[in-house]
Amino acid sequence: MPYVIGIDGGGTKTKAVLLDETGKVYAVSKAGPSNPTAVPSEQLKTTLQCILVGLQLQAPNEYKQVKAGFAGMSGAGDAVSRSHLKKIFFDLTEGRFPIWVDIDAINALYAGTLGKPGILQIAGTGAITYGLNKEGECERVGGWGYLFDDQGSGYHISVKALSAVMQAYDGRGKATLLTKLLIERFSITEVPELISAIYRSDNSKTVIASLSPVVLLAAEQKDEVANHILSEAAEDLALSIMTLHKKLFGNAVHQKVILTGGFIQHSPLVVSSLKALFLSKGYAFDFQFPRIDPAGGSAIAALHYLNEMPKIEFVSNFHASINTVEEGGVS
Amino acid sequence: MPYVIGIDGGGTKTKAVLLDETGKVYAVSKAGPSNPTAVPSEQLKTTLQCILVGLQLQAPNEYKQVKAGFAGMSGAGDAVSRSHLKKIFFDLTEGRFPIWVDIDAINALYAGTLGKPGILQIAGTGAITYGLNKEGECERVGGWGYLFDDQGSGYHISVKALSAVMQAYDGRGKATLLTKLLIERFSITEVPELISAIYRSDNSKTVIASLSPVVLLAAEQKDEVANHILSEAAEDLALSIMTLHKKLFGNAVHQKVILTGGFIQHSPLVVSSLKALFLSKGYAFDFQFPRIDPAGGSAIAALHYLNEMPKIEFVSNFHASINTVEEGGVS
């Protein structure tokens, strides 16, 4: 029975699991940020040490038998960061077992495909598309940042909503329910007060991105402007997904696409538009949300490196056992 | 012969002229910023005092005979700022002659219409549309800031250009000459380096807005993507101008539209698209650039308040005399 470690490292937190190929989780540990481009080297070492020691303390017998680990880390897109992280892991494990390092898109994808190739579409504040084919080739499309490339993200649709409200206000555009909803949201009385509410906030980007639920609400209430904004978001995401698909998978008609991020996971309208768009083009794409935690996706990547595949009961075992461990374990 | 003073106050500089209704300029003075929302009250008083003292020293006899002044000030959109500025001017002139205060759109408009009603379209880094009809009613459309309402501005087209370059890079969009031009502009070798060049600059907004000449250059070289961006800018500006026109002038077929701002004044392609758009809708709009300096526009506003109109020779006299005064005068 191969025991493996899966690590998901991000800009705000790091999480690790120790499990076997049936999905049974023996230990879970959590720590602060571990993005190597944002965290000083000493702090990074301490964080990763905490993570591994946490697993060892909770499940010492299983830890001894660990064969491999995988760490999906945000900020590990370049070779320098990856080799820096690998060196830290080598020292922490004293070389007893390998911990492979790659970008956190891999484990996010595997959290949905359970180790199979496919496409990952992230659409939260920002939007970016990743893919991995069976030859192990990776590609990326989009995600060049909020200033000029954020199509299909929560930020982008919120900007469009604000723009539509200002255009309706001064007569350039159609009236929209978004006006009433945004006035309520900011507890203001007149539309122009939106300007100071947003420009004078400490973090305009965050304030704007937080408005995407308002657009979803207006669309659910059949607001034409909001529905148009969401349709465009679905088209933007479809373009990114199709571009990436062609790069990695050629003309294949079937494809698994994992959708993750706060915006897309709360937008049934956008998801159904996406499905319809691909169907209308003759593609049988299978859109899914992640089935397990991304740290679990990393554990599957570790199994993958050992030429093992997760067993059929993996997902149900994972959910049952991680809850037990998290409730009782060190965190 | 009525002598008047025209003041143009902005966020970076303030300029004043003393002239008569034939356009003959007797004095010109310049100082720093005088936007009351950005400059502390004491500094504001000093700046405006310098401006008036400068005129008085250069042309003491004419200054004695001044009947009125007008100050078009950026940041004077609200009643509080206007009354604050009026009080300062009252103290500085000891109430001997009135200096009326209004937003700087009035004098920018009059710099083109020479005191007639009309529409002012500003399109520099940002874009905003103002209008004034013969009943003295003012309106504004657009200009709600770069985050979500900057259609038709230099900033907006530059964002679209960057977006197009990233989309071409990862295969979502058409190849464009903009890629080569932006790579040269930033002295980089690969497209993704644009991201750090822009996001890591101290002022991303200014860096982005400064790219509009690149879009114009690509369009002149028949680049399809750049031409499309400029066509959309012309449509955005046309929508704002038409919205404002309907508010203030109803269905009138004739209209004078003054175009000002770095982006539009250097975009013959956008100007000709704008002209064609209105012509195709049956409107005989007369698009012009300002004919004189905005401080001169303020002087015309002051004449206007005295029920005087600039004489036929005003523009040629203005240009001839302001050059002489500026070369020899205190500045």
Side-chain angles (χ1 to χ4, degrees):
Chain A
M1 175 100 69
Y3 295 94
V4 291
I5 289 172
I7 300 170
D8 176 49
T12 54
K13 64 183 178 57
T14 305
K15 185 172 179 179
V17 293
L18 192 168
L19 52 71
D20 63 29
E21 86 272 32
T22 72
K24 185 166 186 221
V25 177
Y26 299 88
V28 180
S29 59
K30 294 173 192 167
S34 58
N35 181 325
T37 62
V39 170
S41 186
E42 279 309 308
Q43 188 189 332
L44 183 59
K45 278 181 204 169
T46 310
T47 299
L48 299 177
Q49 185 173 30
C50 282
I51 281 287
L52 292 179
V53 168
L55 298 179
Q56 196 173 5
L57 289 171
Q58 286 172 60
N61 288 329
E62 290 78 9
Y63 190 87
K64 264 183 231 157
Q65 299 170 67
V66 165
K67 290 274 186 301
F70 174 84
M73 312 287 285
S74 77
D78 61 302
V80 174
S81 298
R82 276 199 298 278
S83 80
H84 179 55
L85 285 161
K86 277 179 197 165
K87 171 81 173 60
I88 296 174
F89 283 124
F90 185 88
D91 293 346
L92 292 173
T93 58
E94 294 170 322
R96 197 179 61 69
F97 60 88
I99 297 184
W100 292 286
V101 176
D102 213 321
I103 53 170
D104 56 349
I106 306 294
N107 47 316
L109 176 68
Y110 283 179
T113 64
L114 306 179
K116 297 277 170 61
I119 294 176
L120 173 74
Q121 176 62 55
I122 304 178
T125 296
I128 186 164
T129 316
Y130 291 99
L132 176 71
N133 65 14
K134 65 182 193 311
E135 289 77 29
E137 295 164 326
C138 278
E139 283 281 0
R140 159 208 174 148
V141 165
W144 303 105
Y146 79 105
L147 284 173
F148 49 86
D149 187 85
D150 53 6
Q151 285 90 339
S153 69
Y155 180 81
H156 195 61
I157 67 146
S158 301
V159 164
K160 284 188 177 176
L162 287 163
S163 181
V165 166
M166 299 320 300
Q167 288 180 39
Y169 174 75
D170 61 22
R172 279 174 295 164
K174 274 189 191 150
T176 164
L177 182 58
L178 289 165
T179 301
K180 180 174 166 281
L181 295 177
L182 286 178
I183 281 178
E184 285 168 7
R185 166 74 177 234
F186 285 99
S187 307
I188 56 177
T189 53
E190 296 284 341
V191 168
E193 294 169 51
L194 279 174
I195 307 305
S196 59
I198 289 165
Y199 285 87
R200 288 180 196 165
S201 76
D202 287 341
N203 193 336
S204 305
K205 185 187 162 193
T206 309
V207 172
I208 292 176
S210 75
L211 303 176
S212 64
V214 175
V215 187
L216 300 172
L217 189 62
E220 280 161 18
Q221 295 179 34
K222 315 282 181 213
D223 180 67
E224 202 183 323
V225 171
N227 267 299
H228 182 68
I229 292 172
L230 293 185
S231 296
E232 286 184 336
E235 283 166 23
D236 288 334
L237 293 173
L239 175 61
S240 284
I241 292 168
M242 188 48 93
T243 304
L244 192 128
H245 176 73
K246 285 201 189 307
K247 284 184 174 191
L248 281 183
F249 304 95
N251 295 315
V253 168
H254 293 274
Q255 185 58 262
K256 193 163 274 193
V257 182
I258 308 305
L259 303 173
T260 189
F263 169 55
I264 194 77
Q265 292 192 249
H266 294 92
S267 305
L269 281 166
V270 177
V271 176
S272 58
S273 300
L274 255 184
K275 286 179 182 171
L277 278 168
F278 280 91
L279 213 56
S280 73
K281 289 175 183 168
Y283 289 91
F285 279 19
D286 180 14
F287 292 91
Q288 292 187 357
F289 294 128
R291 299 179 66 191
I292 54 169
D293 189 289
S298 286
I300 291 176
L303 286 170
H304 191 90
Y305 279 111
L306 297 174
N307 287 315
E308 300 276 351
M309 285 301 283
K311 299 291 178 207
I312 190 104
E313 68 274 24
F314 192 92
V315 173
S316 57
N317 267 1
F318 184 87
H319 286 293
S321 56
I322 199 169
N323 286 345
T324 316
V325 174
E326 283 195 301
E327 277 163 23
V330 177
S331 76
Chain B
M1 175 100 70
Y3 295 95
V4 291
I5 289 173
I7 300 171
D8 176 49
T12 53
K13 65 183 177 59
T14 305
K15 186 171 177 179
V17 293
L18 192 168
L19 52 71
D20 63 29
E21 85 273 30
T22 71
K24 183 166 189 222
V25 177
Y26 298 89
V28 180
S29 60
K30 295 174 194 166
S34 58
N35 181 325
T37 63
V39 170
S41 187
E42 279 309 308
Q43 188 188 334
L44 183 59
K45 278 181 205 171
T46 310
T47 299
L48 299 178
Q49 184 173 30
C50 283
I51 281 286
L52 293 179
V53 169
L55 297 179
Q56 196 173 3
L57 289 172
Q58 286 171 59
N61 288 327
E62 290 77 9
Y63 190 87
K64 263 183 234 159
Q65 299 171 67
V66 165
K67 288 275 186 301
F70 175 86
M73 310 288 285
S74 76
D78 61 301
V80 173
S81 298
R82 276 198 299 276
S83 80
H84 178 57
L85 285 162
K86 277 179 197 166
K87 171 80 173 63
I88 296 175
F89 282 125
F90 185 88
D91 293 346
L92 292 173
T93 58
E94 295 170 322
R96 198 179 62 70
F97 59 88
I99 297 185
W100 292 285
V101 177
D102 213 321
I103 53 171
D104 56 348
I106 307 294
N107 47 314
L109 176 69
Y110 283 179
T113 64
L114 307 180
K116 297 276 169 64
I119 294 177
L120 173 74
Q121 177 61 56
I122 305 177
T125 297
I128 186 165
T129 318
Y130 292 98
L132 176 71
N133 65 15
K134 65 182 191 314
E135 288 76 31
E137 294 164 326
C138 278
E139 283 280 0
R140 156 205 176 151
V141 164
W144 303 105
Y146 79 106
L147 284 173
F148 49 86
D149 187 85
D150 53 6
Q151 286 87 341
S153 69
Y155 180 81
H156 195 62
I157 67 145
S158 302
V159 164
K160 285 188 177 177
L162 286 163
S163 181
V165 166
M166 298 321 299
Q167 289 181 38
Y169 174 74
D170 60 23
R172 280 173 294 164
K174 275 189 189 150
T176 163
L177 183 58
L178 289 166
T179 301
K180 179 172 168 282
L181 295 177
L182 286 178
I183 281 178
E184 285 169 7
R185 166 75 178 231
F186 284 99
S187 307
I188 56 177
T189 53
E190 297 283 341
V191 168
E193 294 169 52
L194 279 174
I195 307 303
S196 59
I198 290 165
Y199 285 87
R200 287 182 195 162
S201 76
D202 287 340
N203 193 336
S204 304
K205 186 186 160 193
T206 309
V207 173
I208 292 175
S210 74
L211 304 176
S212 64
V214 175
V215 186
L216 300 172
L217 189 62
E220 279 161 17
Q221 294 179 37
K222 313 281 179 215
D223 180 66
E224 201 182 325
V225 171
N227 268 299
H228 182 69
I229 292 172
L230 293 185
S231 296
E232 286 183 336
E235 284 166 22
D236 287 335
L237 294 173
L239 175 60
S240 285
I241 292 167
M242 188 48 91
T243 303
L244 192 128
H245 175 73
K246 285 202 189 307
K247 284 184 174 194
L248 282 182
F249 304 95
N251 294 315
V253 167
H254 293 274
Q255 184 59 266
K256 192 163 275 193
V257 183
I258 308 305
L259 303 172
T260 189
F263 170 55
I264 193 77
Q265 292 192 251
H266 294 92
S267 305
L269 280 166
V270 177
V271 175
S272 58
S273 300
L274 254 182
K275 285 179 182 172
L277 277 169
F278 280 92
L279 213 55
S280 73
K281 291 176 184 167
Y283 289 91
F285 279 18
D286 179 14
F287 292 92
Q288 292 188 357
F289 294 128
R291 300 178 66 191
I292 54 169
D293 188 290
S298 287
I300 291 177
L303 286 170
H304 192 88
Y305 279 110
L306 296 175
N307 289 315
E308 299 276 349
M309 285 299 284
K311 300 291 179 205
I312 192 103
E313 67 274 23
F314 192 93
V315 174
S316 56
N317 267 1
F318 184 88
H319 287 293
S321 56
I322 198 169
N323 286 344
T324 316
V325 174
E326 285 196 299
E327 279 164 22
V330 177
S331 77

PDB file of all heavy atoms in Angstrom, chain B residues 100 139 190 261 267:
ATOM      1  N   TRP B 100     -16.231  85.495 -12.272  1.00  0.00           N
ATOM      2  CA  TRP B 100     -17.130  84.347 -12.199  1.00  0.00           C
ATOM      3  C   TRP B 100     -16.322  83.054 -12.258  1.00  0.00           C
ATOM      4  O   TRP B 100     -15.263  83.007 -12.903  1.00  0.00           O
ATOM      5  CB  TRP B 100     -18.138  84.400 -13.349  1.00  0.00           C
ATOM      6  CG  TRP B 100     -19.098  85.545 -13.215  1.00  0.00           C
ATOM      7  CD1 TRP B 100     -20.153  85.621 -12.347  1.00  0.00           C
ATOM      8  CD2 TRP B 100     -19.091  86.767 -13.948  1.00  0.00           C
ATOM      9  NE1 TRP B 100     -20.816  86.825 -12.495  1.00  0.00           N
ATOM     10  CE2 TRP B 100     -20.182  87.542 -13.468  1.00  0.00           C
ATOM     11  CE3 TRP B 100     -18.277  87.293 -14.960  1.00  0.00           C
ATOM     12  CZ2 TRP B 100     -20.480  88.806 -13.973  1.00  0.00           C
ATOM     13  CZ3 TRP B 100     -18.567  88.546 -15.460  1.00  0.00           C
ATOM     14  CH2 TRP B 100     -19.662  89.301 -14.968  1.00  0.00           C
ATOM     15  N   GLU B 139     -24.813  70.123 -19.455  1.00  0.00           N
ATOM     16  CA  GLU B 139     -24.954  68.696 -19.168  1.00  0.00           C
ATOM     17  C   GLU B 139     -23.602  68.026 -19.336  1.00  0.00           C
ATOM     18  O   GLU B 139     -22.690  68.582 -19.949  1.00  0.00           O
ATOM     19  CB  GLU B 139     -25.970  68.037 -20.118  1.00  0.00           C
ATOM     20  CG  GLU B 139     -27.415  68.317 -19.785  1.00  0.00           C
ATOM     21  CD  GLU B 139     -27.978  67.453 -18.655  1.00  0.00           C
ATOM     22  OE1 GLU B 139     -27.238  66.606 -18.090  1.00  0.00           O
ATOM     23  OE2 GLU B 139     -29.167  67.623 -18.332  1.00  0.00           O
ATOM     24  N   GLU B 190      10.156  39.224 -25.195  1.00  0.00           N
ATOM     25  CA  GLU B 190       9.010  38.311 -25.233  1.00  0.00           C
ATOM     26  C   GLU B 190       7.751  39.020 -24.747  1.00  0.00           C
ATOM     27  O   GLU B 190       7.800  39.819 -23.804  1.00  0.00           O
ATOM     28  CB  GLU B 190       9.252  37.120 -24.296  1.00  0.00           C
ATOM     29  CG  GLU B 190      10.423  36.238 -24.674  1.00  0.00           C
ATOM     30  CD  GLU B 190      10.102  35.306 -25.842  1.00  0.00           C
ATOM     31  OE1 GLU B 190       8.904  35.095 -26.113  1.00  0.00           O
ATOM     32  OE2 GLU B 190      11.058  34.824 -26.473  1.00  0.00           O
ATOM     33  N   GLY B 261      -7.998  67.334 -26.202  1.00  0.00           N
ATOM     34  CA  GLY B 261      -7.326  66.234 -25.491  1.00  0.00           C
ATOM     35  C   GLY B 261      -6.305  65.570 -26.400  1.00  0.00           C
ATOM     36  O   GLY B 261      -6.485  65.504 -27.616  1.00  0.00           O
ATOM     37  N   SER B 267      -5.436  62.001 -33.530  1.00  0.00           N
ATOM     38  CA  SER B 267      -6.058  60.834 -34.163  1.00  0.00           C
ATOM     39  C   SER B 267      -6.909  61.207 -35.364  1.00  0.00           C
ATOM     40  O   SER B 267      -8.138  61.129 -35.295  1.00  0.00           O
ATOM     41  CB  SER B 267      -6.951  60.112 -33.151  1.00  0.00           C
ATOM     42  OG  SER B 267      -6.247  59.773 -32.007  1.00  0.00           O
TER      43      SER B 267
END
